[in-house]
Amino acid sequence: MREAHKQTLNAIIASPSGSTPAEAQTFLDAHPEIEAFDIVLTDANGVGRGKIVRRHELMSIFEGGRHMPISILGLDITGEDVHETGLIWTTGDGDLRAWPIPGTLVPLFGTQPPRGQVLMAMYHLDGQPMSSDPRLALARQVEILAAKGLHPAGAFELEFFLLANERDADGKVRPANAVLDGRRSAKTEVYSVDHLHGMEPLFSDIYAAAKVQGIPAETVISEYAPGQYELTLNYRQDVMRAADDLVMLKRLVRAQARRHGVTACFMAKPIEKYAGSGMHFHVSLQDKAGKNVFAEASGETWSLPLLRGLGGLIQTMAESMLVFAPHANSWRRFVSQSYAPVAPTWGVNNRSVALRVPAGDAKNRRIEHRPSGVDANPYLVAATVLAGITRGLDEGLDPGPETTGNGYESAITRTTMPVDWRAAIEAARASTFLKGALGEDLHRTFVAIKQSEYLRVARTVSELDYHLYLHEV
């Protein structure tokens, strides 16, 4: 038995992720200037964890993977072990093997000395998927749909704040001054093109970094709060790649902002009096012939797959909210008329609902899933959304009537939504659907991490506590 274990530990197997040494060699030949690489594994919170390796180590990673501790997937947002995940001492904190994700080996723009980056996914030593890896949970939902002859396509939108590195006199975060000339603005410059010009050097570098990484970053706008911006990504026929795009884009936005002396903030609600930041997910399904099954036929109001997909998302939204709003701060975003949905509603060309069907050409018909904050893990969001759509298709679920007008005023009585983070944790813990969407191991891991973080926040005595109660009670 001991000898068999040793053989498994040392065995060199073909990459289960589909990566090949040829990809690494081609990259090294094309980039002789690059001296080191970030190898990045995305944990349950969406945090990139890994190592920086030297150039000569890259080929061995593509040939045989890289051993990493299993506990890397059982960490909370601060990087502390969460023993309740079962991934720490229960397993002896042993090593598994991380493998490169094909197509994610890219240069990092503006690094000195020059570095590259590759995203990784975790597998057991025999090549079987590690079931607490978020990206592999998404891969499983894609495979479930593929068995039905359906292939999901999609794209994420990235909303974020650019903040000054220094707090204001009250210790609050504040919008960054323009990197072009230092001009300060505390106004809501929504859709102001002139306002964008002040951040032009930074956004030029973001676009340049996205180009060298093959990320289809497109329109940038000034959003609905001082210092808030949105970057859109072009639609991908491969939803796995769409999620990779978002992970890579967040990393490069943060890095380029830092180089320009400001902070890119991906909290859902960093400034209390302004709207928070979402991570809207656009998704559609194609059949084997490449036809969008959400597109309605001539004379048809809406396609049946679209309506059933909406029905599945509405039915499963309440028990999935922990995925879409995973942190204490996430729940500060859900305020009426803040452009964050507060009920499981759907509508057409309506930004006050949770599930928006954008207007436009029928061939581009899709669902815009709006509940997620920018602090959510895109792999978990996409996996849960696809599982909800699958539920709707399998069970023929009806989404109910379309919401028109102000969706914030629409009463939803058939589905009770969690009212706060704690309620979302309990709903997720009890959810058979979410256990199936994420897989039992990742479901246990994710809920345990969130419970641990909740207890840390709940026992913390904040400055607000002193302000409200110190001299009053």
Side-chain angles (χ1 to χ4, degrees), residues 31 87 278 283 314 368 423 444 464 472:
H31 297 280
L87 300 180
V283 61
I314 285 173
E368 180 186 0
R444 181 193 66 247
L464 180 61
E472 308 300 334

Side-chain angles (χ1 to χ4, degrees), residues 12-17 19 61-66 97-101 119-124 127:
I12 300 298
I13 61 173
S15 170
S17 71
S19 60
I61 292 172
F62 274 78
E63 290 169 347
R66 183 70 177 237
R97 191 172 288 167
W99 290 88
I101 296 170
L119 301 186
M120 309 285 284
M122 190 77 93
Y123 294 82
H124 291 283

Side-chain angles (χ1 to χ4, degrees), residues 202-249:
L202 170 54
F203 281 112
S204 292
D205 282 351
I206 287 172
Y207 281 127
K211 182 177 180 179
V212 300
Q213 292 189 16
I215 300 172
E218 294 195 328
T219 305
V220 60
I221 66 171
S222 180
E223 259 290 356
Y224 201 65
Q228 188 185 37
Y229 302 86
E230 178 186 274
L231 272 168
T232 61
L233 288 159
N234 196 16
Y235 217 67
R236 291 281 198 180
Q237 298 305 308
D238 177 2
V239 77
M240 298 287 292
R241 182 63 195 186
D244 292 338
D245 284 343
L246 199 284
V247 168
M248 295 167 72
L249 184 61

Side-chain angles (χ1 to χ4, degrees), residues 15-32:
S15 170
S17 71
S19 60
T20 65
E23 179 183 0
Q25 190 60 62
T26 299
F27 184 90
L28 291 171
D29 291 344
H31 297 280

Side-chain angles (χ1 to χ4, degrees), residues 9 16 80 111 125 151 160 254 292 332 336 381 403:
L9 187 67
E80 295 285 344
T111 52
L125 298 179
H151 306 280
F160 59 97
R254 183 180 283 116
N292 181 359
R332 308 195 201 289
S336 181
V381 169
T403 296

Side-chain angles (χ1 to χ4, degrees), residues 21 33 75 89-90 123 227 240 244 285 378 401 432 441 451 453 469:
E33 76 284 0
L75 304 177
W89 298 124
T90 304
Y123 294 82
M240 298 287 292
D244 292 338
L285 297 178
T432 302
D441 291 338
Q451 178 68 20
E453 292 173 355
Y469 310 122

Side-chain angles (χ1 to χ4, degrees), residues 156-159 230 246 250 266-269 276-282 313 317 320-327 330-331 333-334 339-342 353-355 368-385 417:
F156 288 89
E157 296 175 6
L158 181 68
E159 294 179 358
E230 178 186 274
L246 199 284
K250 285 180 72 172
F266 300 110
M267 290 173 62
K269 182 80 167 178
S277 294
M279 188 179 69
H280 304 159
F281 176 42
H282 295 251
L313 292 173
M317 190 175 295
S320 303
M321 282 305 298
L322 186 62
V323 170
F324 309 144
H327 307 291
S330 308
W331 291 85
R333 174 172 163 260
F334 295 103
Y339 290 96
V342 294
V353 297
L355 304 170
E368 180 186 0
H369 184 272
R370 297 174 58 82
S372 299
V374 74
D375 56 344
N377 183 328
Y379 296 127
L380 298 188
V381 169
T384 305
V385 168
M417 295 288 283

